[in-house]
Coordinates of all heavy atoms in Angstrom, one line a residue:
M278 N 0.5 13.1 160.0 CA 0.6 12.3 161.2 C 1.1 10.9 161.0 O 1.9 10.4 161.8 CB -0.8 12.4 161.9 CG -0.9 11.8 163.2 SD -0.1 12.8 164.4 CE -0.4 11.8 165.8
I279 N 0.5 10.2 160.0 CA 1.0 8.8 159.8 C 2.4 8.8 159.4 O 3.1 7.8 159.7 CB 0.0 8.1 158.8 CG1 0.1 6.7 158.8 CG2 0.3 8.7 157.4 CD1 -0.5 6.0 159.9
D280 N 2.9 9.8 158.7 CA 4.3 9.8 158.3 C 5.2 9.8 159.5 O 6.3 9.0 159.5 CB 4.7 11.0 157.4 CG 3.9 11.0 156.1 OD1 3.6 9.9 155.7 OD2 3.7 12.1 155.5
S281 N 4.9 10.5 160.5 CA 5.7 10.5 161.7 C 5.7 9.2 162.4 O 6.7 8.7 163.0 CB 5.4 11.7 162.6 OG 4.1 11.5 163.1
K282 N 4.5 8.6 162.4 CA 4.4 7.2 163.1 C 5.3 6.2 162.3 O 5.9 5.4 162.9 CB 3.0 6.7 163.1 CG 2.2 7.6 164.2 CD 0.8 7.0 164.2 CE 0.0 7.8 165.3 NZ -1.4 7.3 165.4
I283 N 5.3 6.2 161.0 CA 6.1 5.4 160.2 C 7.6 5.6 160.5 O 8.4 4.6 160.6 CB 5.7 5.5 158.7 CG1 4.4 4.9 158.4 CG2 6.8 4.6 157.8 CD1 3.8 5.1 157.0
G284 N 7.9 6.9 160.6 CA 9.3 7.1 160.9 C 9.8 6.7 162.2 O 10.9 6.1 162.3
I285 N 8.9 6.8 163.2 CA 9.2 6.3 164.5 C 9.3 4.7 164.5 O 10.2 4.1 165.0 CB 8.2 6.7 165.6 CG1 8.3 8.2 165.7 CG2 8.3 6.0 166.8 CD1 7.2 8.9 166.5
L286 N 8.4 4.2 163.7 CA 8.4 2.6 163.6 C 9.7 2.1 162.9 O 10.2 1.1 163.3 CB 7.2 2.2 162.9 CG 6.9 0.6 162.8 CD1 6.9 0.1 164.2 CD2 5.6 0.4 162.1
I287 N 10.1 3.0 161.9 CA 11.4 2.6 161.2 C 12.6 2.6 162.2 O 13.4 1.6 162.3 CB 11.7 3.5 160.1 CG1 10.8 3.2 158.9 CG2 13.1 3.4 159.6 CD1 10.7 4.3 157.8
V288 N 12.6 3.6 163.0 CA 13.7 3.7 164.1 C 13.6 2.6 165.1 O 14.6 2.1 165.5 CB 13.6 5.1 164.8 CG1 14.5 5.2 166.0 CG2 13.9 6.2 163.8
V289 N 12.4 2.2 165.5 CA 12.3 1.2 166.4 C 12.7 -0.2 165.9 O 13.5 -1.0 166.5 CB 10.8 1.1 167.0 CG1 10.6 -0.2 167.7 CG2 10.4 2.3 167.7
V290 N 12.3 -0.5 164.7 CA 12.7 -1.8 164.0 C 14.3 -1.7 163.8 O 14.9 -2.7 164.1 CB 12.0 -1.9 162.7 CG1 12.5 -3.1 161.9 CG2 10.5 -2.2 163.0
F291 N 14.8 -0.5 163.4 CA 16.3 -0.4 163.3 C 17.0 -0.8 164.6 O 17.9 -1.5 164.7 CB 16.6 1.0 162.8 CG 18.1 1.4 162.9 CD1 19.0 0.8 162.0 CD2 18.5 2.2 163.9 CE1 20.3 1.1 162.1 CE2 19.8 2.5 164.0 CZ 20.7 2.0 163.1
G292 N 16.4 -0.2 165.7 CA 17.0 -0.4 167.0 C 17.0 -1.9 167.4 O 18.0 -2.4 167.9
I293 N 15.8 -2.5 167.2 CA 15.7 -4.0 167.5 C 16.7 -4.8 166.6 O 17.4 -5.7 167.2 CB 14.3 -4.5 167.3 CG1 13.4 -3.8 168.3 CG2 14.2 -6.0 167.4 CD1 11.9 -4.1 168.1
T294 N 16.8 -4.4 165.4 CA 17.8 -5.1 164.5 C 19.2 -5.0 164.9 O 19.9 -6.0 164.9 CB 17.5 -4.6 163.0 OG1 16.2 -4.8 162.7 CG2 18.4 -5.3 162.1
E295 N 19.6 -3.8 165.2 CA 20.9 -3.5 165.6 C 21.2 -4.3 167.0 O 22.3 -4.7 167.1 CB 21.2 -2.0 165.8 CG 21.5 -1.3 164.5 CD 22.8 -1.7 164.0 OE1 23.9 -1.8 164.6 OE2 22.8 -2.2 162.8
T296 N 20.2 -4.3 167.9 CA 20.4 -4.9 169.2 C 20.7 -6.4 168.9 O 21.6 -7.0 169.5 CB 19.3 -4.7 170.0 OG1 19.1 -3.3 170.2 CG2 19.4 -5.5 171.4
L297 N 19.9 -7.1 168.0 CA 20.0 -8.4 167.8 C 21.4 -8.8 167.2 O 22.0 -9.7 167.5 CB 18.9 -8.9 166.8 CG 17.5 -9.0 167.3 CD1 16.5 -9.3 166.2 CD2 17.5 -10.0 168.4
E298 N 21.9 -7.9 166.3 CA 23.3 -8.0 165.8 C 24.3 -7.9 166.8 O 25.3 -8.6 166.8 CB 23.5 -7.0 164.7 CG 22.8 -7.2 163.4 CD 23.2 -6.2 162.3 OE1 24.2 -5.6 162.4 OE2 22.3 -6.0 161.4
K299 N 24.2 -7.0 167.8 CA 25.2 -6.9 168.8 C 25.2 -8.0 169.8 O 26.2 -8.4 170.4 CB 24.8 -5.6 169.7 CG 24.9 -4.3 168.9 CD 26.3 -4.1 168.4 CE 26.3 -2.7 167.6 NZ 27.5 -2.6 166.7
F300 N 24.0 -8.8 169.9 CA 23.9 -9.9 170.7 C 24.4 -11.2 169.9 O 24.4 -12.3 170.5 CB 22.6 -10.2 171.2 CG 22.2 -9.4 172.4 CD1 21.1 -8.6 172.4 CD2 23.0 -9.4 173.5 CE1 20.8 -7.8 173.5 CE2 22.7 -8.7 174.6 CZ 21.5 -7.9 174.6
G301 N 25.0 -11.0 168.7 CA 25.6 -12.1 168.0 C 24.8 -12.7 166.9 O 25.3 -13.6 166.2
L302 N 23.6 -12.2 166.6 CA 22.8 -12.8 165.5 C 23.5 -12.3 164.1 O 23.9 -11.1 164.0 CB 21.4 -12.3 165.5 CG 20.4 -12.9 164.5 CD1 20.3 -14.4 164.7 CD2 19.1 -12.2 164.6
A303 N 23.6 -13.2 163.2 CA 24.3 -12.9 161.9 C 23.4 -11.7 161.3 O 22.2 -11.7 161.3 CB 24.3 -14.1 161.0
K304 N 24.2 -10.9 160.6 CA 23.6 -9.7 159.9 C 22.5 -10.1 158.9 O 21.4 -9.5 158.9 CB 24.7 -9.0 159.2 CG 24.3 -7.6 158.7 CD 25.5 -6.9 158.1 CE 25.4 -5.4 158.3 NZ 26.5 -4.8 157.8
R305 N 22.6 -11.1 158.2 CA 21.6 -11.5 157.3 C 20.4 -12.0 157.9 O 19.2 -11.7 157.4 CB 22.1 -12.6 156.2 CG 22.5 -13.8 156.9 CD 23.0 -14.8 155.9 NE 23.6 -16.0 156.7 CZ 24.5 -16.7 156.3 NH1 25.2 -16.4 155.2 NH2 25.0 -17.7 157.1
Y306 N 20.4 -12.7 159.0 CA 19.3 -13.1 159.7 C 18.6 -11.9 160.5 O 17.4 -11.9 160.5 CB 19.6 -14.2 160.8 CG 20.1 -15.5 160.1 CD1 21.3 -15.9 160.5 CD2 19.5 -16.1 159.1 CE1 21.9 -17.0 159.9 CE2 19.9 -17.2 158.5 CZ 21.1 -17.7 158.9 OH 21.6 -18.8 158.4
A307 N 19.4 -11.0 160.9 CA 18.8 -9.8 161.6 C 18.0 -9.0 160.6 O 17.0 -8.4 160.9 CB 19.9 -9.1 162.3
H308 N 18.5 -8.9 159.4 CA 17.8 -8.1 158.3 C 16.6 -8.9 157.9 O 15.6 -8.1 157.6 CB 18.8 -7.9 157.2 CG 19.9 -6.9 157.5 ND1 20.8 -6.6 156.6 CD2 20.2 -6.3 158.6 CE1 21.7 -5.7 157.1 NE2 21.3 -5.5 158.3
L309 N 16.6 -10.2 157.9 CA 15.4 -10.9 157.5 C 14.3 -10.7 158.6 O 13.1 -10.6 158.3 CB 15.6 -12.4 157.3 CG 16.4 -12.7 156.1 CD1 16.8 -14.3 156.0 CD2 15.6 -12.3 154.8
I310 N 14.8 -10.6 159.9 CA 13.8 -10.4 161.0 C 13.2 -9.1 160.9 O 12.1 -8.8 161.4 CB 14.5 -10.6 162.3 CG1 14.8 -12.1 162.4 CG2 13.7 -10.2 163.4 CD1 15.6 -12.5 163.6
A311 N 13.9 -8.1 160.3 CA 13.3 -6.7 160.2 C 11.9 -6.6 159.4 O 11.1 -5.8 159.7 CB 14.3 -5.8 159.6
L312 N 11.8 -7.5 158.4 CA 10.6 -7.5 157.6 C 9.3 -7.8 158.4 O 8.4 -7.1 158.5 CB 10.8 -8.3 156.4 CG 11.8 -7.8 155.3 CD1 11.9 -8.8 154.3 CD2 11.4 -6.5 154.9
P313 N 9.4 -9.0 159.1 CA 8.2 -9.3 159.9 C 8.0 -8.3 161.1 O 6.9 -8.1 161.5 CB 8.5 -10.8 160.4 CG 9.8 -11.1 160.0 CD 10.3 -10.1 159.1
L314 N 9.1 -7.8 161.6 CA 9.0 -6.8 162.7 C 8.2 -5.6 162.2 O 7.4 -5.0 162.9 CB 10.3 -6.4 163.3 CG 11.1 -7.4 164.2 CD1 12.4 -6.9 164.6 CD2 10.1 -7.6 165.5
G315 N 8.6 -5.2 160.9 CA 7.9 -4.0 160.3 C 6.4 -4.3 160.2 O 5.6 -3.4 160.5
V316 N 6.1 -5.5 159.7 CA 4.6 -5.8 159.4 C 3.9 -5.9 160.8 O 2.8 -5.4 160.9 CB 4.5 -7.1 158.6 CG1 3.1 -7.6 158.6 CG2 5.1 -6.9 157.3
L317 N 4.5 -6.5 161.8 CA 3.8 -6.7 163.0 C 3.7 -5.3 163.7 O 2.7 -5.0 164.2 CB 4.8 -7.5 164.0 CG 4.3 -7.7 165.4 CD1 3.0 -8.5 165.4 CD2 5.3 -8.4 166.2
G318 N 4.7 -4.4 163.5 CA 4.7 -3.0 164.1 C 3.6 -2.3 163.5 O 2.9 -1.4 164.1
S319 N 3.4 -2.4 162.1 CA 2.4 -1.7 161.4 C 1.0 -2.1 162.0 O 0.1 -1.3 162.1 CB 2.4 -1.9 160.0 OG 2.0 -3.2 159.5
F320 N 0.7 -3.4 162.2 CA -0.5 -3.9 162.7 C -0.8 -3.3 164.1 O -2.0 -2.9 164.5 CB -0.7 -5.3 162.7 CG -1.0 -5.9 161.4 CD1 -0.1 -6.5 160.5 CD2 -2.4 -5.9 161.0 CE1 -0.5 -7.1 159.3 CE2 -2.8 -6.5 159.9 CZ -1.9 -7.1 159.0
L321 N 0.3 -3.2 164.9 CA 0.2 -2.8 166.3 C 0.0 -1.3 166.5 O -0.7 -0.8 167.4 CB 1.4 -3.3 167.1 CG 1.4 -4.8 167.3 CD1 2.7 -5.2 168.1 CD2 0.2 -5.4 168.0
F322 N 0.7 -0.5 165.7 CA 0.8 1.0 165.9 C 0.2 1.8 164.9 O 0.1 3.1 165.2 CB 2.3 1.4 166.1 CG 3.0 0.6 167.2 CD1 4.0 -0.3 167.0 CD2 2.5 0.8 168.6 CE1 4.6 -1.0 168.0 CE2 3.2 0.1 169.6 CZ 4.2 -0.8 169.3
L323 N -0.1 1.4 163.8 CA -0.6 2.2 162.7 C -2.2 2.0 162.5 O -2.6 0.8 162.8 CB 0.1 2.0 161.3 CG 1.6 2.2 161.4 CD1 2.2 1.9 160.1 CD2 2.0 3.6 161.9
K324 N -2.9 2.9 161.9 CA -4.3 2.7 161.6 C -4.6 2.8 160.2 O -4.4 3.9 159.6 CB -5.2 3.8 162.4 CG -4.9 3.7 163.9 CD -5.7 2.6 164.6 CE -5.6 2.7 166.0 NZ -5.5 1.5 166.7
F325 N -4.9 1.7 159.5 CA -5.3 1.7 158.2 C -6.7 1.0 158.0 O -7.2 0.4 158.9 CB -4.3 1.0 157.3 CG -3.0 1.7 157.2 CD1 -1.8 1.1 157.8 CD2 -2.8 2.9 156.6 CE1 -0.6 1.8 157.8 CE2 -1.6 3.5 156.5 CZ -0.4 3.0 157.1
S326 N -7.2 1.2 156.7 CA -8.5 0.6 156.5 C -8.5 -0.8 155.9 O -9.5 -1.5 156.0 CB -9.3 1.6 155.6 OG -8.6 1.6 154.3
S327 N -7.3 -1.2 155.4 CA -7.3 -2.6 154.8 C -6.1 -3.3 155.3 O -5.0 -2.7 155.7 CB -7.3 -2.5 153.2 OG -6.1 -2.0 152.8
T328 N -6.1 -4.6 155.2 CA -4.9 -5.4 155.6 C -3.8 -5.3 154.7 O -2.7 -5.3 155.0 CB -5.4 -6.9 155.6 OG1 -6.5 -7.1 156.5 CG2 -4.3 -7.9 156.1
A329 N -4.1 -5.0 153.4 CA -3.1 -4.9 152.4 C -2.3 -3.6 152.7 O -1.0 -3.6 152.6 CB -3.7 -4.7 151.0
E330 N -2.9 -2.5 153.2 CA -2.1 -1.4 153.6 C -1.2 -1.6 154.8 O 0.0 -1.2 154.8 CB -3.1 -0.2 153.9 CG -3.7 0.4 152.7 CD -4.7 1.5 153.1 OE1 -5.6 1.3 154.0 OE2 -4.5 2.6 152.6
Y331 N -1.7 -2.4 155.8 CA -0.8 -2.7 156.9 C 0.4 -3.5 156.4 O 1.5 -3.3 156.8 CB -1.5 -3.7 157.9 CG -2.5 -2.9 158.7 CD1 -3.9 -3.2 158.6 CD2 -2.1 -2.0 159.7 CE1 -4.8 -2.5 159.4 CE2 -3.0 -1.4 160.6 CZ -4.3 -1.6 160.4 OH -5.2 -0.9 161.3
I332 N 0.3 -4.5 155.5 CA 1.4 -5.3 155.0 C 2.3 -4.5 154.2 O 3.5 -4.6 154.3 CB 0.8 -6.5 154.2 CG1 0.1 -7.4 155.1 CG2 1.9 -7.3 153.5 CD1 -0.6 -8.6 154.5
I333 N 1.8 -3.6 153.3 CA 2.7 -2.8 152.4 C 3.5 -1.8 153.2 O 4.7 -1.7 153.1 CB 1.8 -2.0 151.4 CG1 1.3 -3.0 150.4 CG2 2.6 -1.0 150.7 CD1 0.2 -2.4 149.4
Y334 N 2.8 -1.1 154.1 CA 3.6 -0.2 155.0 C 4.5 -0.9 156.0 O 5.6 -0.4 156.3 CB 2.6 0.7 155.8 CG 2.1 1.9 154.9 CD1 0.9 1.8 154.3 CD2 2.9 3.0 154.6 CE1 0.4 2.8 153.5 CE2 2.4 4.0 153.8 CZ 1.2 3.9 153.3 OH 0.8 5.0 152.4
G335 N 4.1 -2.1 156.4 CA 5.0 -2.9 157.3 C 6.3 -3.4 156.5 O 7.4 -3.3 157.1
L336 N 6.1 -3.7 155.3 CA 7.3 -4.2 154.4 C 8.1 -3.0 154.2 O 9.4 -3.0 154.2 CB 6.9 -4.9 153.2 CG 6.2 -6.2 153.3 CD1 5.6 -6.7 152.0 CD2 7.2 -7.2 153.9
F337 N 7.5 -1.8 153.9 CA 8.3 -0.6 153.7 C 9.1 -0.3 154.9 O 10.3 0.1 154.8 CB 7.3 0.6 153.3 CG 8.0 1.9 153.3 CD1 8.9 2.2 152.3 CD2 7.8 2.8 154.4 CE1 9.6 3.5 152.3 CE2 8.5 4.0 154.4 CZ 9.3 4.4 153.4
T338 N 8.5 -0.4 156.0 CA 9.2 -0.1 157.3 C 10.4 -1.0 157.5 O 11.5 -0.5 157.9 CB 8.2 -0.2 158.5 OG1 7.2 0.7 158.3 CG2 8.9 0.1 159.8
G339 N 10.2 -2.3 157.3 CA 11.3 -3.3 157.4 C 12.4 -3.0 156.5 O 13.6 -3.1 156.8
I340 N 12.1 -2.7 155.2 CA 13.1 -2.5 154.2 C 13.8 -1.1 154.5 O 15.1 -1.1 154.3 CB 12.5 -2.4 152.7 CG1 12.1 -3.8 152.4 CG2 13.4 -1.9 151.7 CD1 11.2 -3.9 151.2
A341 N 13.1 -0.2 154.9 CA 13.7 1.1 155.2 C 14.7 1.0 156.5 O 15.8 1.6 156.5 CB 12.6 2.2 155.6
S342 N 14.3 0.1 157.4 CA 15.1 -0.1 158.6 C 16.4 -0.7 158.2 O 17.5 -0.4 158.7 CB 14.4 -0.7 159.7 OG 14.1 -2.0 159.4
V343 N 16.3 -1.8 157.4 CA 17.5 -2.5 156.9 C 18.4 -1.5 156.0 O 19.7 -1.6 156.3 CB 17.1 -3.7 156.1 CG1 18.3 -4.3 155.4 CG2 16.3 -4.7 156.9
G344 N 17.9 -0.7 155.2 CA 18.6 0.3 154.6 C 19.4 1.3 155.4 O 20.5 1.6 155.2
T345 N 18.6 1.7 156.5 CA 19.2 2.6 157.4 C 20.3 1.9 158.2 O 21.4 2.5 158.4 CB 18.2 3.1 158.4 OG1 17.1 3.6 157.8 CG2 18.7 4.0 159.5
C346 N 20.2 0.7 158.5 CA 21.2 -0.1 159.2 C 22.4 -0.2 158.4 O 23.5 0.0 158.9 CB 20.6 -1.5 159.6 SG 21.8 -2.5 160.4
D347 N 22.3 -0.6 157.1 CA 23.5 -0.7 156.3 C 24.2 0.6 156.0 O 25.4 0.6 156.1 CB 23.0 -1.3 154.9 CG 22.8 -2.8 154.9 OD1 23.3 -3.4 155.9 OD2 22.1 -3.3 154.0
T348 N 23.4 1.7 155.9 CA 24.0 3.0 155.6 C 24.8 3.4 156.8 O 26.0 3.9 156.8 CB 22.9 4.0 155.3 OG1 22.2 3.5 154.1 CG2 23.5 5.3 155.0
V349 N 24.2 3.4 158.0 CA 24.9 3.8 159.2 C 26.1 2.9 159.5 O 27.2 3.4 159.8 CB 24.0 3.7 160.4 CG1 24.6 3.9 161.8 CG2 22.8 4.8 160.3
C350 N 26.0 1.5 159.3 CA 27.2 0.7 159.5 C 28.3 1.0 158.6 O 29.5 1.1 159.0 CB 26.8 -0.8 159.4 SG 25.7 -1.3 160.7
N351 N 28.0 1.3 157.3 CA 29.0 1.6 156.3 C 29.7 2.9 156.6 O 30.9 3.1 156.5 CB 28.4 1.6 155.0 CG 28.1 0.3 154.4 OD1 28.6 -0.7 154.9 ND2 27.2 0.2 153.4
V352 N 28.9 4.0 157.1 CA 29.5 5.3 157.4 C 30.4 5.1 158.6 O 31.6 5.7 158.6 CB 28.4 6.3 157.6 CG1 28.9 7.5 158.3 CG2 27.7 6.6 156.3
V353 N 30.0 4.5 159.6 CA 30.8 4.3 160.8 C 32.1 3.5 160.4 O 33.2 3.9 160.9 CB 30.0 3.5 161.9 CG1 30.9 3.1 163.1 CG2 28.9 4.4 162.4
S354 N 32.0 2.5 159.6 CA 33.2 1.6 159.2 C 34.1 2.6 158.5 O 35.3 2.5 158.7 CB 32.6 0.5 158.4 OG 33.8 -0.2 157.9
N355 N 33.6 3.4 157.6 CA 34.5 4.3 156.8 C 35.2 5.3 157.7 O 36.3 5.6 157.5 CB 33.7 5.0 155.7 CG 33.4 4.0 154.6 OD1 34.0 3.0 154.4 ND2 32.4 4.4 153.7
I356 N 34.4 5.8 158.7 CA 35.0 6.8 159.6 C 36.1 6.2 160.4 O 37.2 6.6 160.5 CB 34.0 7.4 160.5 CG1 33.0 8.4 159.7 CG2 34.6 8.2 161.7 CD1 31.9 8.8 160.3
K357 N 35.9 5.0 160.9 CA 36.9 4.2 161.6 C 38.1 3.9 160.8 O 39.2 4.1 161.3 CB 36.3 2.9 162.3 CG 35.4 3.2 163.4 CD 34.9 1.8 164.0 CE 33.9 2.1 165.2 NZ 33.4 0.8 165.7
T358 N 37.9 3.6 159.6 CA 39.0 3.1 158.8 C 39.8 4.5 158.4 O 41.1 4.4 158.4 CB 38.5 2.5 157.4 OG1 37.8 1.4 157.7 CG2 39.7 2.2 156.5
K359 N 39.2 5.6 158.2 CA 39.9 6.8 157.9 C 40.6 7.3 159.1 O 41.8 7.7 158.9 CB 38.8 7.9 157.4 CG 39.6 9.1 157.0 CD 38.6 10.1 156.4 CE 39.4 11.3 156.1 NZ 39.1 12.5 155.8
N360 N 40.1 7.2 160.3 CA 40.7 7.6 161.5 C 42.0 6.7 161.7 O 43.0 7.2 162.2 CB 39.9 7.6 162.7 CG 38.9 8.8 162.7 OD1 39.1 9.8 161.9 ND2 37.8 8.6 163.4
Y361 N 41.9 5.4 161.4 CA 42.9 4.6 161.7 C 44.1 4.8 160.7 O 45.2 4.9 161.0 CB 42.5 3.1 161.5 CG 43.6 2.1 161.6 CD1 44.1 1.8 162.9 CD2 44.1 1.4 160.5 CE1 45.1 0.9 163.0 CE2 45.1 0.4 160.7 CZ 45.6 0.3 162.0 OH 46.6 -0.7 162.1
T362 N 43.8 5.1 159.4 CA 44.8 5.4 158.4 C 45.4 6.8 158.6 O 46.6 7.0 158.3 CB 44.2 5.3 157.0 OG1 43.2 6.1 156.8 CG2 43.8 3.8 156.7
D363 N 44.7 7.7 159.2 CA 45.3 9.0 159.4 C 46.3 9.0 160.6 O 47.2 9.8 160.6 CB 44.1 10.0 159.8 CG 43.3 10.4 158.6 OD1 43.7 10.2 157.4 OD2 42.1 11.0 158.8
Q364 N 46.1 8.0 161.5 CA 47.0 7.9 162.7 C 48.4 7.3 162.3 O 49.3 7.5 163.0 CB 46.3 7.1 163.8 CG 45.2 7.9 164.4 CD 44.5 7.0 165.4 OE1 44.9 5.8 165.7 NE2 43.5 7.6 166.0
K365 N 48.4 6.6 161.1 CA 49.7 6.0 160.7 C 50.6 6.9 160.2 O 50.6 8.0 159.8 CB 49.4 4.9 159.7 CG 48.9 3.7 160.4 CD 48.7 2.6 159.3 CE 48.3 1.3 160.0 NZ 48.3 0.2 159.1

């Protein structure tokens, strides 16, 4: 049950990070914001017995969302580049 909540939290943090980038926030700052968003989200939406667990899982969520963001952006960029070079 907790795994699915962490997965959903990763997607939410990813969505917020991507939205901030689309509004013009530099990528490096948006990625830095993902870490506190993950920690905040873990305190708000997850149930653990200690503060350390909230922080650890929150940092994991922020790092995972940044990794997802980079991976998705790189795949989309490669697909666009390949489609552009195929048309020439």
Side-chain angles (χ1 to χ4, degrees):
M278 183 73 176
I279 196 74
D280 294 337
S281 61
K282 288 184 179 180
I283 292 173
I285 292 169
L286 190 57
I287 290 170
V288 172
V289 169
V290 172
F291 167 74
I293 293 170
T294 304
E295 278 295 304
T296 302
L297 291 173
E298 284 182 29
K299 298 297 180 197
F300 281 124
L302 186 64
K304 191 178 213 177
R305 62 180 171 212
Y306 298 125
H308 289 181
L309 286 175
I310 290 174
L312 295 175
L314 282 175
V316 173
L317 180 65
S319 71
F320 276 102
L321 294 175
F322 300 114
L323 304 176
K324 301 285 186 214
F325 292 114
S326 59
S327 71
T328 305
E330 287 179 306
Y331 284 112
I332 293 171
I333 290 169
Y334 281 99
L336 290 174
F337 169 76
T338 300
I340 291 169
S342 68
V343 168
T345 304
C346 179
D347 281 341
T348 302
V349 170
C350 291
N351 289 339
V352 168
V353 169
S354 175
N355 286 340
I356 290 172
K357 285 181 180 179
T358 303
K359 183 174 181 187
N360 287 340
Y361 178 73
T362 56
D363 288 343
Q364 291 177 357
K365 284 186 172 182

